[in-house]
Amino acid sequence: MSARIAGLCVAVACCSASLSQQPAFSTKVEAVRVDVLVLENGRPVTGLTPADFDIADNGVPQQVDFVSFEQIPLNVVLALDMSDSVAGERLEQLRDAGGAVLEGLAKNDQAALVTFSNVVSLGAPLTADVAAARHALADAHGFGETSLVDGVYAAMMVGESDVGRALLIVFSDGLDTASWLHSDAVLESAKRSDVVAYSAAIGTVGATQFLRDLSAFTGGTLYKIETTKDLRATFLQILDEFRHRYLVSYTPQGVSKDGWHRLDVRVRNHKAAIKARPGYLAGRAP
Amino acid sequence: MRRVLSAVAFVLLAACWTAAGQMRRSGEPLSLDTAVDDVTNDRIQRLKQWLNAVDRHEPGAHDDAVIDVGKWSNGELRGLWIDSYVLAQLMRNLRLSRFLLHSDDKRRTVDIRYTAWQIGRMRVFACAAAGTLARPDCAQLYIAAKNTDDDLVRLSEHAAAERSKSGDDNYLVRRGALLHADVAMLEPHGVVESFANRSLGAPTIGPQTWRIDISDGRELDVGLSALHWDLARLALDQVRPGASAKPAPERDAMVRAWYRATAAWMQYREDHDTLHLDRARTIFPDDPDILFLSGCQRESYAAPSIQAVTQTLTLPAGLTAGIGSDRAELRLAEGFFKRALAKQPDMGEAHLRFGRVLGLEGRHADAAAEIRQAMTLVTDTPLRYYGELFLGAEEEALGRLDEARDAFDRAAALFPSAQSPLIALSELAKRRGDRAGALAAIQRVFTLPPAGWEGRDDPWWSYHTAQARDAEALVDAVRAPFQREKP
């Protein structure tokens, strides 16, 4: 459960451990972090401090330790459907949208690329060398079936491989036809993760239900789209929204160690709309 | 993925037909519900072309017979469906003169009417197809029809030779079935009549089979399917063992082998036809292989790729997809696998799939027991791989996480280039709170070779066709005894 991280100060200061470097994780530190979007009249509210946030963990008020806004570099993981149906104009528009996200990254941000057809591949590990991710994106092409659930799980793990602040952007245009993992298992994993998942998906209700649930459990958003014509704008909107989220951290007090923790996040003195994950799972699964 | 999963079978309920030949009694009135089908001379000519195609077709070859018959429209094939049935009646009794078709619900009857010239031609065709053109009564008909057709003479000679060899009179019906199966397999059609306006016209005489082409959980097209499988099934319904006075396909080994092989071929191509296995089970209700394939078909119908379409598809009145909810389909699959195992308890693959279905139904302890039994019976490496994967999933569901990890490890050892066991190990480790283990396992996925020749290969990706992996060999075995040019 990535809500328990190895020291938030480490996360703030150094976000460079890549998956291939096999980072070690500790379960000693008790901090929980929550990405929170605060909107008033549709615009992000800025300048908030720990004193402005009220967080209740399973109904128990918590002391907010730390709030960051636009200070912590991002780890953006692109998880892109590269099945048969992604070809021609759709592939070009997907590459363009992914490229726009890479161009939009700040100096210390990192990016990774995971692609999935029936094969789940790491095109580029988390790296500040955006050129590597860009090359991997240019090489990606569609073939085979769709392992959406497996691909999302793998991308989520890439996001968790580094103590930085992880944004997962998923694109898919079809139903999962080849995953081994069941969607419920990956949603359980998502509840143990502090990766925030946004998705852009073309497809029927059945095809997009998993991504809808994934976004709901992680505090992200599902964008149901008809075509990939405006995918670039959608991806950039996701990146912009994520940049305007607060990272709020607290050390749980007065709550049980294991199980589902319902989160209730509020901002004092503002009639603000709050977007954050609804809770998290802690401890070992039964 | 834009692979087309074709032909979820549709049944037009009002137009499932059976047929019966009768002697006309003088002055017998037609019932009020009886319609009349006046046969055109074109249909008689088509039947003649068909006889010629059946006789000259080399089973398994993409020859002129396959190409020619493959071009016929569904209207032409529907006429052939009627006339070939009438021909089969005449082959048994040349004196028949009245032919009625009944809908399955017995509410509609159609009187198939031939002119005197047409019935005369049909009787000559029947003599040729039965290999009896030289018999005095047939020779008399042949002369009376002023017919000097070398094709019919050759057909009669071939049919007679086959009768001498096999001792039965099934030359035409067996080869007719092989021809239409080959057209279906070698000249695959998509939708032959589109169904754009989503409304049904007037019911037609004869079968109508609808198909949906789907991909990525979406419907691509809906329309009428070519009737070749219907014609092949109708032909084999007429198979008459040597000592039998009437058709008895249930006693014929070739018919059994044909249904098993063609049903497997359909599943290998993910070209599902519910009616095909329905008919197979009607004829062979206790055949373990057919019951096993029926279970596999229903297991496939429960998969999200098909459920996503059937749950959202809007069909007009009179049509049914014949596919239930995933739970309903799993129950049907369970029933078929149980029946197959009752007939053949050592069918390891049936135990394996039965176990998976039980797991999908949430009966994890029963599923694990069934899969363990399967593992004592199967030796094939891909089947053992499936068994370890499924056992791992059931052990995980039962909370026996060490046993689950061991099973996934064994699966990974069986297919080192497969990603599914590694992803399963990663998810399992994460569930146990072992994030380092989860990351290490997913890292192994990323270091697997890319897809392609000698690249990443995961049998899990072909699970829904694996039961039919020997389909080509089965089809070849059915064709072989009928091939004149031995490969």
Side-chain angles (χ1 to χ4, degrees):
Chain A
M1 142 63 181
S2 60
R4 298 176 186 279
I5 59 172
L8 193 61
C9 57
V10 176
V12 174
C14 173
C15 308
S16 60
S18 74
L19 184 61
S20 58
Q21 291 169 318
Q22 296 291 320
F25 289 89
S26 164
T27 56
K28 293 177 184 173
V29 181
E30 300 291 329
V32 170
R33 61 185 190 180
V34 188
D35 265 286
V36 183
L37 180 67
V38 185
L39 296 173
E40 209 164 42
N41 300 320
R43 300 174 68 85
V45 177
T46 59
L48 299 177
T49 67
D52 294 311
F53 286 91
D54 284 331
I55 289 192
D57 185 324
N58 272 345
V60 179
Q62 302 293 322
Q63 175 72 44
V64 173
D65 300 326
F66 175 86
V67 167
S68 165
F69 186 79
E70 291 186 328
Q71 294 158 345
I72 303 176
L74 307 185
N75 287 339
V76 179
V77 182
L78 294 169
L80 306 182
D81 185 338
M82 285 290 167
S83 62
D84 262 349
S85 51
V86 181
E89 192 177 56
R90 181 171 292 180
L91 176 59
E92 289 307 313
Q93 288 165 342
L94 179 57
R95 283 179 177 153
D96 179 57
V101 170
L102 297 177
E103 285 167 19
L105 296 182
K107 186 181 175 188
N108 292 319
D109 293 340
Q110 296 190 104
L113 173 66
V114 171
T115 59
F116 56 90
S117 53
N118 46 337
V119 173
V120 175
S121 296
L122 181 66
L126 268 179
T127 173
D129 176 13
V130 175
R134 192 177 291 120
H135 286 139
L137 191 60
D139 287 344
H141 61 279
F143 75 96
E145 299 191 48
T146 308
S147 289
L148 169 64
V149 174
D150 285 356
V152 163
Y153 173 79
M156 216 159 55
M157 292 308 299
V158 172
E160 289 187 32
S161 69
D162 186 281
V163 288
R165 186 178 176 198
L167 164 65
L168 172 60
I169 302 177
V170 184
F171 166 79
S172 182
D173 72 343
L175 188 77
D176 194 314
T177 55
S179 284
W180 165 255
L181 291 178
H182 195 276
S183 57
D184 289 347
V186 177
L187 293 174
E188 283 293 296
S189 285
K191 292 175 193 171
R192 295 172 180 280
S193 171
D194 53 12
V195 174
V196 179
Y198 284 74
S199 308
I202 302 171
T204 60
V205 173
T208 55
Q209 186 60 48
F210 165 66
L211 292 176
R212 182 180 303 282
D213 292 343
L214 179 75
S215 298
F217 283 127
T218 61
T221 300
L222 166 67
Y223 294 87
K224 280 196 74 173
I225 55 179
E226 297 296 322
T227 73
T228 48
K229 185 165 58 77
D230 298 323
L231 193 59
R232 179 189 180 94
T234 303
F235 274 22
L236 288 175
Q237 183 183 338
I238 290 170
L239 183 62
D240 183 64
E241 180 174 305
F242 193 70
R243 280 204 187 285
H244 288 92
R245 295 177 79 129
Y246 288 87
L247 185 62
V248 179
S249 172
Y250 69 94
T251 304
Q253 302 287 338
V255 291
S256 67
K257 192 176 172 185
D258 296 335
W260 175 249
H261 291 241
R262 179 175 48 81
L263 288 176
D264 185 14
V265 181
R266 294 175 190 214
V267 176
R268 292 175 193 161
N269 305 320
H270 284 274
K271 290 180 179 175
I274 306 284
K275 186 196 279 187
R277 58 183 161 137
Y280 65 93
L281 264 176
R284 183 186 148 136
Chain B
M1 161 70 180
R2 200 157 281 282
R3 180 188 56 200
V4 175
L5 259 172
S6 63
V8 179
F10 278 73
V11 185
L12 180 58
L13 292 175
C16 297
W17 296 90
T18 55
Q22 297 179 3
M23 297 287 287
R24 181 188 283 278
R25 295 191 192 115
S26 176
E28 183 182 351
L30 296 175
S31 76
L32 288 176
D33 294 332
T34 302
V36 172
D37 176 33
D38 285 317
V39 177
T40 63
N41 286 347
D42 286 348
R43 270 179 39 185
I44 301 301
Q45 183 58 24
R46 179 76 55 200
L47 185 64
K48 170 68 175 47
Q49 291 170 358
W50 179 72
L51 288 172
N52 191 21
V54 170
D55 190 37
R56 71 187 155 117
H57 174 56
E58 176 71 9
H62 192 217
D63 53 19
D64 289 345
V66 165
I67 293 167
D68 291 347
V69 174
K71 289 175 183 167
W72 294 353
S73 71
N74 249 12
E76 291 165 337
L77 292 172
R78 202 168 289 118
L80 178 63
W81 186 89
I82 296 166
D83 298 328
S84 64
Y85 178 80
V86 169
L87 182 70
Q89 310 304 305
L90 282 171
M91 285 168 66
R92 287 204 292 277
N93 184 352
L94 276 177
R95 297 173 60 208
L96 288 175
S97 59
R98 186 182 181 193
F99 306 94
L100 300 176
L101 284 172
H102 305 288
S103 62
D104 274 358
D105 58 9
K106 308 292 183 194
R107 291 167 64 183
R108 291 187 68 230
T109 300
V110 178
D111 187 17
I112 311 299
R113 291 206 308 212
Y114 297 94
T115 64
W117 177 83
Q118 289 170 343
I119 203 74
R121 291 285 288 167
M122 294 281 284
R123 285 179 176 139
V124 173
F125 294 167
C127 288
T132 57
L133 208 50
R135 208 171 62 192
D137 58 335
C138 283
Q140 196 174 3
L141 287 167
Y142 185 71
I143 292 164
K146 296 178 181 167
N147 206 320
T148 54
D149 192 320
D150 290 345
D151 290 339
L152 290 177
V153 173
R154 191 164 49 249
L155 169 64
S156 182
E157 289 170 355
H158 288 157
E162 181 66 26
R163 184 174 56 239
S164 319
K165 193 170 82 175
S166 65
D168 65 30
D169 270 330
N170 298 304
Y171 177 82
L172 181 77
V173 292
R174 290 193 203 282
R175 285 188 169 269
L178 291 170
L179 169 64
H180 284 289
D182 279 349
V183 175
M185 290 189 281
L186 301 172
E187 286 264 301
H189 294 79
V191 163
V192 294
E193 288 176 34
S194 201
F195 184 37
N197 59 7
R198 300 298 171 100
S199 63
L200 291 175
T204 53
I205 304 167
Q208 286 196 343
T209 302
W210 298 79
R211 60 182 275 156
I212 323 171
D213 289 349
I214 61 178
S215 174
D216 265 359
R218 272 172 289 185
E219 161 202 337
L220 296 180
D221 203 357
V222 179
L224 281 170
S225 173
L227 294 176
H228 296 292
W229 288 117
D230 304 82
L231 278 155
R233 288 192 291 266
L234 179 73
L236 291 183
D237 281 351
Q238 310 308 316
V239 166
R240 186 162 54 103
S244 177
K246 58 181 185 180
E250 68 277 9
R251 288 164 47 197
D252 191 86
M254 179 263 182
V255 178
R256 181 189 299 265
W258 183 87
Y259 270 106
R260 187 186 168 203
T262 51
W265 182 90
M266 289 176 180
Q267 293 192 7
Y268 196 68
R269 295 283 301 261
E270 297 191 73
D271 195 341
H272 296 291
D273 184 342
T274 313
L275 295 177
H276 199 70
L277 276 168
D278 285 353
R279 184 68 193 145
R281 286 194 309 279
T282 300
I283 302 172
F284 304 106
D286 296 325
D287 185 284
D289 291 319
I290 288 169
L291 290 168
F292 170 69
L293 289 172
S294 300
C296 294
Q297 183 181 63
R298 294 297 174 172
E299 187 186 4
S300 293
Y301 286 176
S305 55
I306 291 182
Q307 287 288 315
V309 173
T310 56
Q311 286 172 10
T312 56
L313 191 65
T314 305
L315 293 169
L319 280 183
T320 173
I323 295 178
S325 67
D326 54 350
R327 294 172 69 88
E329 292 300 328
L330 289 173
R331 274 197 300 275
L332 285 172
E334 180 190 339
F336 287 131
F337 288 137
K338 270 185 187 167
R339 285 171 58 191
L341 288 167
K343 293 293 170 189
Q344 191 176 323
D346 63 349
M347 192 185 268
E349 199 169 353
H351 283 289
L352 186 68
R353 287 179 178 266
F354 183 31
R356 177 173 184 264
V357 166
L358 290 172
L360 291 173
E361 291 179 319
R363 295 161 58 185
H364 301 297
D366 294 340
E370 201 65 37
I371 295 164
R372 279 198 203 91
Q373 186 164 0
M375 296 300 277
T376 66
L377 296 166
V378 298
T379 54
D380 196 39
T381 304
L383 294 184
R384 295 195 65 77
Y385 170 82
Y386 293 138
E388 298 293 5
L389 266 183
F390 300 158
L391 188 59
E394 298 312 324
E395 297 286 21
E396 185 174 352
L398 290 166
R400 299 195 291 241
L401 303 189
D402 288 340
E403 288 83 352
R405 183 197 58 216
D406 292 347
F408 291 139
D409 276 336
R410 289 193 296 270
L414 284 168
F415 271 89
S417 63
Q419 71 183 27
S420 293
L422 303 179
I423 290 177
L425 283 165
S426 176
E427 187 274 334
L428 183 66
K430 188 152 195 293
R431 192 176 165 197
R432 305 178 78 150
D434 174 13
R435 189 181 313 179
L439 287 168
I442 212 70
Q443 180 64 26
R444 287 173 66 192
V445 172
F446 293 146
T447 56
L448 289 173
W453 186 251
E454 293 188 343
R456 199 178 307 190
D457 180 28
D458 191 338
W460 167 244
W461 297 333
S462 51
Y463 173 72
H464 280 296
T465 59
Q467 75 280 8
R469 59 197 174 281
D470 56 353
E472 290 288 345
L474 291 172
V475 169
D476 286 347
V478 171
R479 288 169 175 156
F482 300 91
Q483 287 169 333
R484 299 180 182 110
E485 301 161 12
K486 298 295 179 191

